């Protein structure tokens, strides 16, 4: 029945204060901890689970470096195993891997030893693949909290691929138990009694500390057998053999919580612009910058690549990417996303340049031909749409487009206009040329992991007018006919199967009296759908589009008592564009509008025509199946609980029988039960408070009661969703990968010749999760993933070098691969170091 007391602080790098304000306090805390360790007032201290705390403190107090190293070397100061404590549901699996790799790099630079416990208790739920990630770094334990089964103090947590860790459910951290010496003994006894209610055997874990709190010396008299000053590793060692093998929890940890143990599901959709920026930056680095850096052999670029990841990782903590901090924090988040994007795009440009593809448009604008290149980031051939700007000399226009073999290619002119073009670089004098910009769209075929060329013929003359749309409400392309309804939703009819699906993309707006953590419907809510104003048909050689204008007449906000939506109204002017591309079996649905209303949530609904009891979505490396639910669970009646919000995190796809929705960057989806089961994708949630204590869906505060007016998202809102009529695991995961990272096209420097088709890495049977420079500079690391429930045998070609199996930490764990075939079990990942 012993209580293991672990003194710690939970350090949110930014939250109700911006980062620099918190960092100044962090430096004071670290100095105080060093003093207490020096004086023997503390025996050990856990400096949260992230190396960034040490890095941040030393940035402003470099004089503490030797003391921190000495205490860490002596086992008195523990950091890690993460670089930052991420919200591990809203970032990609590769983001989590880079996080742990960065922690090892930072720890080595600072001379620190990392803690060997999978410490991640304060994330807002835990993804199914986290045990796999931890085991890939040699960690076989996990300290969890939110979303863990509340009645289980200890259990074995198993990922879809079978990876397993020993998990401890923190329950609820209680910093006040030992805060006051006079009441410590009584509070400790009460703590032990509460723990016995869910764990009769003990021992118990008491995390002595809390958010941004400096430690106090432990009260005298506790070391009488009732409590011992311990470490997380010591506690796990004490209970390692006490967890029955059959006490297994599988999959994600998003169980309804106990008292004050909130999953805080509203953070999946708060400030969605952050989630969209994060998804775009992850894709840029994972799918483009890293593989092209490997392909071009740019070992010297690793420093810039790490810098881009460092900027991105700084936005991964739960109070950052979740959008539940003060407004200033999230302004800084947007700057970091921009920095990651700038570095990533530079890496892509330079890698292409080294590969002979110069995308810098310096020199005289073209007058006869424009060379284009289409690059495919996937290790399999892809057919997909591209949109590219072609700059010609003034007075010239495009007369045709041919592929690398000289065959004509249909294309559409989308925009045209005079555009000054500035170019400058290390070897290019700054110069601005007058050009005529032609935005063209076409469907390209690109080889696996490589590129192919296209040539646009340029002739003198004025460009033809951009084809204007005609009024209409229906288009047909191949077997599909798309018709817009009066509420701006679409009916899709498939002549090949006879299926008709009405209501696709039906927008539903409701009130939200919640905060940045929790969606909370007003007591007297009003549901609003758009009214169609006009629809235009654009039917061209490569795509058929319906461009719809609609009005969404919504309440401007809430009433003064927040019990209902206000009488004052505002009309949101929506543009919805639905596109059917030639040869692509997918509806491309896009929404744009300027949000001018407060305190509301807007979802796009996609119903199927088949009965269903559950729905499937992708997580980090696996597909997960979840039950269909009501839109919102029963509201709690007791203080300190929350309702089941019904929403769940997705990476990029969600499926029902016969229907798949592809929505990268829009991670909040609901699978809603009903006569026509549907997937509801949140495209906007606008709220104005960090936390409020007066919610019905969560009957306690979740943070400081501070206004966050910028969380109302009074900005341009965009959302892009793909819709498919298939639901086979292999087909939809491939489609989701293509949606996350579509083909890209560039015009090459004037005078260049369009390149021939040049393949690269080719993988048949699985997806490439990573193809990156190795951390130690020795070769590259290739990671293959099978996100489906069926085993596969993968064929790999195009590698330069021999693959040798390694773990996620890039340590060799097997021999060289014999032949070009690799087996992957259900939901499996395998990593390989490739050296020449």
């Amino acid at each position: 029945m012993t209580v293991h007391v672990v003194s710690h602080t939970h350090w949110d790098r930014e939250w109700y204060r911006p980062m620099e304000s918190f960092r100044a306090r962090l430096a004071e805390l670290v100095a105080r901890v060093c003093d207490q360790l020096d004086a023997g007032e503390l025996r050990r201290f856990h400096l949260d689970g992230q190396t960034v705390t040490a890095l941040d403190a030393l940035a402003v107090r470099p004089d503490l470096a030797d003391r921190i190293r000495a205490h860490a070397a002596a086992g008195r100061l523990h950091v890690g195993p993460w670089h930052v404590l991420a919200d591990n549901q809203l970032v990609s699996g590769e983001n989590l891997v880079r996080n742990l790799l960065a922690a090892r790099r930072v720890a080595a630079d600072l001379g620190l030893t990392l803690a060997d416990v999978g410490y991640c208790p304060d994330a807002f739920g835990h993804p199914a693949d986290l045990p796999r990630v931890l085991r890939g770094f040699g960690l076989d334990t996990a300290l969890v909290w939110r979303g863990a089964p509340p009645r289980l103090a200890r259990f074995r947590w198993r990922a879809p691929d079978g990876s397993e860790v020993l998990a401890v459910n923190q329950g609820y951290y209680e910093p006040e138990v030992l805060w006051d010496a006079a009441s410590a003994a009584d509070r400790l006894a009460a703590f032990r009694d509460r723990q016995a209610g869910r764990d009769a055997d003990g021992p118990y874990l008491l995390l002595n500390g809390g958010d941004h709190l400096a430690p106090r010396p432990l009260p005298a008299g506790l070391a009488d057998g009732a409590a011992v000053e311990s470490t997380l590793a010591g506690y796990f060692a004490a209970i390692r053999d006490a967890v029955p093998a059959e006490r297994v929890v599988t999959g994600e940890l998003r169980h309804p919580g106990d008292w004050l143990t909130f999953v805080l599901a509203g953070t999946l959709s708060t400030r969605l612009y952050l989630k969209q920026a994060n998804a775009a930056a992850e894709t840029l680095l994972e799918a483009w910058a890293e593989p092209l850096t490997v392909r071009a052999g740019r070992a010297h670029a690793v420093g810039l690549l790490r810098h881009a990841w460092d900027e991105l990782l700084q936005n991964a903590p739960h109070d950052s990417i979740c959008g539940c901090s003060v407004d200033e924090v999230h302004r800084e988040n947007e700057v970091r996303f921009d920095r990651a994007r700038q570095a990533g795009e530079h890496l892509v440009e330079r890698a292409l340049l080294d590969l002979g593809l110069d995308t810098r448009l310096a020199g005289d604008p073209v007058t006869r031909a424009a060379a284009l290149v289409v690059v495919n980031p996937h290790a399999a051939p892809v057919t997909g749409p591209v949109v590219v700007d072609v700059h010609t000399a003034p007075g010239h226009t495009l007369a045709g487009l041919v592929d690398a073999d000289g065959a004509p290619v249909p294309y559409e002119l989308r925009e045209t206009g005079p555009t000054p073009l500035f170019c400058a670089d290390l070897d290019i004098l700054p110069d601005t040329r007058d050009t005529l910009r032609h935005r063209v769209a076409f469907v390209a075929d690109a080889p696996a992991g490589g590129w192919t060329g296209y040539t646009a013929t340029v002739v003198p003359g004025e460009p033809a007018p951009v084809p204007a749309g005609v009024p209409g409400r229906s288009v047909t392309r191949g077997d599909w006919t798309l018709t817009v309804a009066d509420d701006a939703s679409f009916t899709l009819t498939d002549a090949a199967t006879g299926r008709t699906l009405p209501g696709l993309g039906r927008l539903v707006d409701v009130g939200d009296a919640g905060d940045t953590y929790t969606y909370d419907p007003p007591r007297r809510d009003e549901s609003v759908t758009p009214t169609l104003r006009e629809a235009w048909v654009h039917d061209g050689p490569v795509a058929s589009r319906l461009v719809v204008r609609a009005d969404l007449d919504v309440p401007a906000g809430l009433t003064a008592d927040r019990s209902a939506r206000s009488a004052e109204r505002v009309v949101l002017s929506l543009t919805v564009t639905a596109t059917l591309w030639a040869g692509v079996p997918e509806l491309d649905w896009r929404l744009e509008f300027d949000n001018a209303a407060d305190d509301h949530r807007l979802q796009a609904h996609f119903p199927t025509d088949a009965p269903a009891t559950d729905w499937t979505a992708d997580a980090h490396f696996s597909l997960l199946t979840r039950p269909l639910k009501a839109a919102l669970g029963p509201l709690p009646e007791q203080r300190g609980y929350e309702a089941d919000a019904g929403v769940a995190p997705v990476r990029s796809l969600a499926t029902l029988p016969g229907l798949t929705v592809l929505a990268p960057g829009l991670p909040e989806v609901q699978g809603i039960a009903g006569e026509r089961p549907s997937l509801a994708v949140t495209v906007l949630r606008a709220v104005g408070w960090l936390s409020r204590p007066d919610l019905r869906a969560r009957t306690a505060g979740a943070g400081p009661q501070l206004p966050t007016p910028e969380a109302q998202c009074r900005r341009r809102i965009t959302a892009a969703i793909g819709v498919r009529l298939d639901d086979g695991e292999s087909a939809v995961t491939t489609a989701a990968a293509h949606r996350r990272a579509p083909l890209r096209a560039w015009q090459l420097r004037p005078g260049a010749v369009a390149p021939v088709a040049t393949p690269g890495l080719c993988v048949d049977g699985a997806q490439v999760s990573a193809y990156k420079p190795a951390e130690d500079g020795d070769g590259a690391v290739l990671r293959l993933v099978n996100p489906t429930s069926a085993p596969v045998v993968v064929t790999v070609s195009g590698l330069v070098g021999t693959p040798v199996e390694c773990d996620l930490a890039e340590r060799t764990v097997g021999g060289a691969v014999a032949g070009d075939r690799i087996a992957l079990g259900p939901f499996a990942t395998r990593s390989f170091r490739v050296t020449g």
Side-chain angles (χ1 to χ4, degrees), residues 186-421:
D186 291 340
R187 284 181 176 271
L188 184 64
F191 171 81
R192 187 189 292 111
D193 291 342
R194 285 194 299 273
Q195 294 301 304
R198 67 188 185 111
D199 179 11
D201 300 325
Y204 307 131
L205 174 65
L206 172 60
L207 291 176
N208 178 39
D211 295 358
H212 317 115
L213 294 176
R216 294 188 176 191
L218 296 183
L222 292 182
D224 57 359
V228 294
E229 193 172 356
S230 186
T231 64
L232 291 174
Y235 177 72
F236 274 98
I239 57 96
R240 182 174 291 277
D241 298 328
V243 181
E246 66 274 11
R247 192 184 296 171
V248 174
V249 175
T250 60
E252 62 184 344
L253 302 185
R254 293 184 59 80
H255 298 259
D258 207 343
W259 177 71
L260 292 182
T261 302
F262 306 132
V263 176
L264 304 175
T267 57
L268 297 174
S269 55
T270 300
R271 304 183 199 251
L272 272 171
Y273 61 88
L274 296 176
K275 283 72 164 173
Q276 292 171 305
N278 180 72
E282 286 175 338
T283 297
L284 174 60
L285 298 184
E286 296 170 16
W288 292 97
E290 288 180 335
L292 284 172
T293 295
V294 171
R295 178 81 182 267
R298 291 175 53 81
H300 57 280
V302 169
L304 182 59
L305 188 57
R306 286 177 175 172
H307 171 69
W309 270 112
D310 286 344
E311 291 290 334
L312 190 54
L313 289 174
Q314 289 181 63
N315 281 348
H318 54 266
D319 293 309
S320 303
I321 194 170
C322 286
C324 52
S325 294
V326 293
D327 290 339
E328 186 174 354
V329 165
H330 301 301
R331 290 182 220 133
E332 293 177 357
N333 293 157
E334 291 194 89
V335 172
R336 291 185 200 130
F337 283 131
D338 281 343
R339 288 173 176 165
R341 178 188 55 78
Q342 293 161 17
E345 291 293 355
H346 181 81
L347 287 162
V348 170
E349 178 199 85
R350 287 307 202 241
L352 291 176
L353 183 61
D354 284 358
L355 291 166
L357 304 170
D358 190 349
T359 61
R360 303 170 301 169
L361 299 184
D364 295 331
V366 296
T367 57
R368 299 184 62 185
L372 310 178
V373 63
V374 175
V375 184
N376 176 13
H378 303 284
V382 171
T383 297
V386 293
V387 178
V388 62
D389 286 339
V390 180
H391 295 264
T392 69
H396 289 71
T397 188
L398 304 186
L401 182 69
V402 297
D403 64 17
D405 295 326
V409 176
Y411 72 96
E412 293 179 7
L413 184 65
R414 293 283 179 88
E415 296 177 17
T416 186
T419 304
L421 187 64

Side-chain angles (χ1 to χ4, degrees), residues 768-808:
V768 174
S769 179
Y771 190 37
K772 62 179 287 292
E775 289 293 296
D776 61 5
D778 185 13
V781 170
L782 170 67
R783 187 152 31 257
L784 304 178
V785 58
N786 171 22
T788 74
S789 59
V792 295
V793 176
V794 184
T795 302
V796 179
S797 61
L799 284 176
V800 180
T802 302
V804 176
E805 190 145 16
C806 62
D807 61 11
L808 297 180

